[in-house]
């Protein structure tokens, strides 16, 4: 029974209407990473950070899964073996499409985290600076997303999954943010067949044996069909 590990990035949700980070009109062209995606930025101006993620939570709540998310859910349901989706995305579109084995390595917009005691709970639609932690009462509530300079979630599960993977696919990610950017190289060295599905050449493209270029909503369903046919 073959094991399939899939890494997804912002590109898989682009056709659901959620902006990517590094495309010309992406989020990082409109906001400074240091201000909205670092622990230091949160300490300097928590209201700005909450407003940034409140806007993203509201957009994500309106978004619907596209055929690429749906194809990955179908793969998990129909493949005779393990399928793990490791996503860098903080939206819930994989789960909305029906995927169950999903690891959110950069956290989730719909979760809140206490900066003081690490307690986690479901985030309200609008998070506010003055929200108190339900566990310790501290008023330093933040979105449960991983910022630059923080350690991504699930590393203890990801390393063995990459080592055991027979197929590793990266979908809609630019290959600029580590450790995810090294997963293709890592999985290939450990013996996986590696395939990149992306709109264009990425920083990590050379690490992959096979490339499918095009919008995720087109290339992912075709690839899934082929994998299921064996
Ligand atoms: P990026 O914005 O860096 O890259 C998105 C990739 O998706 C690019 O290579 C695009 O060419 C591709 N793309 C765009 N539209 C697509 C489509 N319709 N179909 C297929 N591919 C498409 O996003 P990520 O690689 O996900 O982290 O960014 C990684 C991390 O950087 C994010 O998780 C976030 C960000 O800073 C943190 O905030 C910690």
């Amino acid at each position: 029974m073959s094991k399939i590990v899939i890494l997804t990035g912002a590109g898989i949700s682009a056709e659901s209407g959620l902006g990517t980070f590094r495309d010309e009109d992406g989020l990082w062209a409109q906001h400074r990473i240091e201000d909205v995606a670092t622990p230091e930025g949160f300490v300097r101006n928590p209201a700005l950070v909450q407003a940034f993620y409140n806007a993203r939570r509201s957009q994500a709540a309106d978004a619907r899964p596209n055929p690429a998310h749906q194809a990955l859910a179908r793969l998990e349901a129909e493949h005779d073996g393990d399928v793990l989706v490791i996503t860098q995305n903080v939206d819930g579109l994989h789960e909305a499409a029906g995927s169950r084995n999903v690891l959110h390595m950069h956290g989730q917009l719909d979760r809140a985290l206490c900066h003081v005691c690490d307690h986690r709970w479901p985030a309200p639609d609008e998070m506010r600076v003055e929200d108190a932690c339900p566990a310790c009462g501290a008023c330093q509530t933040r979105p449960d997303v991983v910022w630059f300079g923080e350690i991504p979630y699930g590393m203890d599960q990801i390393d063995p999954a990459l080592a055991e993977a027979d197929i590793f696919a990266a979908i809609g990610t630019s290959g600029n943010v580590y450790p995810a950017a090294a997963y293709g190289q890592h999985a290939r060295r450990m013996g996986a067949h590696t395939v990149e599905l992306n709109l264009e050449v990425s920083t990590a493209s050379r690490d992959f044996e096979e490339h499918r270029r095009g919008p995720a909503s087109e290339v992912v369903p075709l690839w899934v069909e082929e994998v299921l046919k064996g």
Side-chain angles (χ1 to χ4, degrees), residues 150-174:
E150 297 182 323
I151 298 170
Y153 295 144
M155 304 299 286
D156 49 340
Q157 281 169 265
I158 293 173
D159 281 342
L162 294 175
E164 290 175 8
D166 298 294
I167 299 175
F168 174 81
I171 304 172
T173 179
S174 66

Side-chain angles (χ1 to χ4, degrees), residues 8-16 19-23 26-28 33 36-37 52-53 56 66 68 87-90 105-106 145-149 171-177 180 196-203 212 214-220:
T8 64
I12 197 168
S13 295
E15 291 162 87
S16 294
T20 62
F21 295 95
R22 293 176 184 78
D23 290 312
L27 282 167
W28 295 156
I33 288 179
V36 299
F52 174 73
Y53 289 99
R56 297 192 58 208
N66 67 53
T87 187
Q88 299 167 89
N89 298 343
V90 291
M105 66 180 294
H106 288 170
V145 299
V146 175
W147 288 326
F148 286 89
I171 304 172
T173 179
S174 66
N176 281 298
V177 175
E196 180 184 63
L197 301 97
N198 210 52
L199 201 52
E200 56 193 17
V201 174
S202 81
T203 311
R212 308 281 175 104
S217 67
E218 294 174 17
V219 294
V220 176

